[in-house]
């Protein structure tokens, strides 16, 4: 369904309660791609990928937060996380149901001789896609989600009261939660090299708790060091400005993108690596998302362009 692409982009900028579904929302771009081409087999695979993102990312993140809120008696936040858990489950079931319907249609169709190779190649892409998304949330812990919406606000209240020991304890809690996300998402999946991320945040949390026990009269400079830890550990694929410009220009060179962008003002382009391809989103303030181009990571050729539209069906 074409409306799913619009939902995908909305989820990318939605309130923090649903922000952890970005992996699923991005998978919807590929669902839309194969909906447009009537490729029910690969559409089924991407519905399953969307469901797996929910199970491997959204569920553990929600459980980590829920456990923290419960342990510290934040009843309103407990209720919020429980509501979110229900929404995650509903979306998970939605994608599984859509995948089943797409598989049924795939089985009923006459498959070409290359179908098996095509499907296996797409599965390999999905493995790379999911592996790219798994560490993305702990990597951005201090930028999005629970830190700015909860910990930062709790810290501000403690600072207003001059309770600097409480500020340190809150920052320690946050660092431990970041470590837990690394442990329960990329490490639990089997990705390598993230133990050092987990251990660094655990050690930082211990240091902050030791400082808190000294009942400080002011905040030590280490209180904000958590935001810098990732800089020395970064393993995620981030393009240089030069590379980003090349990717954007490749996307802009596609005729479909040119047509959509013609006459549009103040267009912004955002390339994001998805494990095997770059997704370049073109948007402006007046119309929101204008087009999304999928660019092959190796050849830098535009694989497809998705243009948001209402109506249609992914079945």
């Amino acid at each position: 369904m074409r409306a799913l692409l619009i939902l995908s982009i909305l989820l990318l900028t939605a309130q923090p309660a649903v922000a952890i579904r970005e992996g699923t929302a991005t998978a919807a771009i590929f669902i839309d791609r194969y909906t447009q081409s009537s490729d029910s087999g690969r559409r089924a695979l991407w519905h399953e990928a969307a469901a797996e993102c929910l199970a491997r990312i959204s569920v553990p993140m929600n459980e980590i937060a829920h456990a923290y809120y419960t342990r510290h008696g934040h009843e309103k936040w407990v209720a919020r996380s429980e509501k979110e858990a229900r929404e995650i489950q509903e979306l998970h079931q939605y994608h599984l149901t859509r995948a089943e319907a797409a598989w049924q249609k795939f089985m009923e169709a006459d498959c070409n001789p290359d179908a098996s190779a095509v499907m296996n190649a797409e599965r390999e892409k999905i493995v790379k896609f999911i592996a790219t998304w798994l560490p993305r949330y702990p990597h951005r812990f201090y930028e999005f989600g629970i830190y700015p919406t909860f910990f930062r606000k709790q810290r501000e209240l403690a600072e207003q009261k001059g309770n600097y020991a409480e500020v340190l304890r809150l920052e320690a809690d946050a660092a431990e939660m970041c470590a837990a996300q690394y442990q329960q998402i990329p490490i639990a999946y089997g990705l390598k090299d993230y133990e050092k991320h987990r251990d660094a945040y655990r050690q930082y949390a211990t240091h902050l708790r030791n400082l808190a026990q000294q009942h400080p009269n002011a905040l030590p400079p280490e209180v904000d060091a958590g935001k810098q830890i990732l800089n020395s550990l970064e393993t995620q694929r981030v393009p240089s400005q030069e590379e980003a410009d090349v990717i954007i220009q490749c996307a802009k060179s596609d005729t479909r993108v040119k047509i959509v962008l013609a006459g549009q003002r103040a267009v912004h382009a955002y390339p994001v690596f998805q494990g095997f391809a770059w997704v370049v989103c073109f948007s402006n303030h007046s119309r929101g998302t204008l087009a999304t181009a999928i660019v092959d990571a190796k050849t830098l050729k535009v694989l497809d362009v998705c243009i948001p539209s209402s109506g249609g069906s992914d079945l």
Side-chain angles (χ1 to χ4, degrees):
M1 60 183 183
R2 305 296 170 79
L4 188 57
L5 179 59
I6 299 176
L7 172 63
S8 305
I9 304 304
L10 288 175
L11 284 173
L12 293 175
T13 55
Q15 58 181 321
V18 297
I20 61 172
R21 302 175 200 171
E22 286 184 30
T24 295
T26 305
I29 293 172
F30 296 95
I31 292 171
D32 188 77
R33 176 191 182 189
Y34 294 120
T35 296
Q36 292 184 36
S37 63
S38 299
D39 188 332
S40 56
R42 286 190 281 187
R43 183 169 72 245
L45 290 178
W46 279 100
H47 271 300
E48 291 179 344
E52 186 168 1
C53 283
L54 289 164
R56 293 190 178 274
I57 302 172
S58 302
V59 170
M61 285 185 66
N62 177 269
E63 290 176 345
I64 291 168
H66 182 270
Y68 181 85
Y69 298 145
T70 302
R71 187 164 61 251
H72 292 273
H74 297 287
E75 295 182 2
K76 290 184 179 180
W77 289 86
V78 169
R80 172 177 171 164
S81 63
E82 289 175 349
K83 177 178 181 293
E84 184 179 345
R86 292 191 295 271
E87 293 171 350
I88 291 170
Q89 182 55 42
E90 290 171 2
L91 190 56
H92 183 265
Q93 186 57 52
Y94 163 83
H95 281 292
L96 291 182
T97 300
R98 292 290 183 173
E100 183 178 358
W103 278 126
Q104 183 63 34
K105 191 167 185 177
F106 176 73
M107 296 302 292
E108 292 172 354
D110 292 329
C111 298
N112 64 64
D114 299 324
S116 178
V118 169
M119 295 293 280
N120 287 336
E122 200 68 22
R123 289 187 179 94
E124 292 178 4
K125 293 177 182 178
I126 288 172
V127 169
K128 295 177 181 178
F129 171 83
I130 292 176
T132 299
W133 272 99
L134 289 169
R136 189 161 292 181
Y137 295 99
H139 278 351
R140 301 186 302 170
F141 180 84
Y142 288 92
E143 300 174 62
F144 302 102
I146 192 171
Y147 183 82
T149 60
F150 177 80
F151 283 109
R152 185 183 295 159
K153 292 181 179 180
Q154 295 296 316
R155 170 178 169 169
E156 289 171 355
L157 292 174
E159 284 192 63
Q160 291 171 11
K161 298 176 182 178
N163 191 345
Y164 301 120
E166 177 63 14
V167 171
L168 290 167
R169 285 191 289 268
L170 283 166
E171 288 294 340
D173 288 348
E176 287 175 347
M177 186 175 288
C178 184
Q181 289 184 4
Y182 279 112
Q183 176 60 43
Q184 296 186 38
I185 303 176
I187 295 174
Y189 185 76
L191 297 187
K192 304 300 182 182
D193 297 327
Y194 290 104
E195 290 83 0
K196 62 184 179 183
H197 293 69
R198 174 200 62 198
D199 295 344
Y201 285 102
R202 285 177 176 174
Q203 291 167 11
Y204 174 60
T206 298
H207 178 60
L208 291 179
R209 294 199 188 285
N210 291 336
L211 291 176
Q213 292 176 358
Q214 299 173 20
H215 305 290
N217 295 320
L219 290 176
E222 297 97 318
V223 72
D224 292 316
K227 300 172 185 177
Q228 282 75 52
I229 290 176
L230 185 62
N231 294 337
S232 62
L233 299 170
E234 185 62 80
T235 57
Q236 193 172 13
R237 178 83 162 89
V238 179
S240 65
Q241 186 58 55
E242 182 179 357
E243 184 179 14
D245 290 342
V246 171
I247 295 164
I248 291 170
Q249 289 305 315
C250 289
K252 281 185 176 180
S253 67
D254 188 274
T255 302
R256 293 162 293 183
V257 174
K258 289 181 180 179
I259 292 173
V260 172
L261 299 186
Q264 294 295 328
R265 300 173 63 87
V267 175
H268 301 281
Y270 306 95
V272 181
F273 185 58
Q274 304 297 338
F276 66 95
W278 293 90
V279 166
V280 184
C281 179
F282 295 94
S283 65
N284 61 14
H285 290 298
S286 61
R287 290 186 53 189
T289 299
L290 301 167
T292 302
I294 303 171
V295 182
D296 184 85
K298 292 183 178 180
T299 64
L300 293 185
K301 292 182 179 179
V302 177
L303 301 176
D304 212 338
V305 175
C306 298
I307 301 171
S309 62
S310 59
S313 169
D314 69 345
L315 296 180

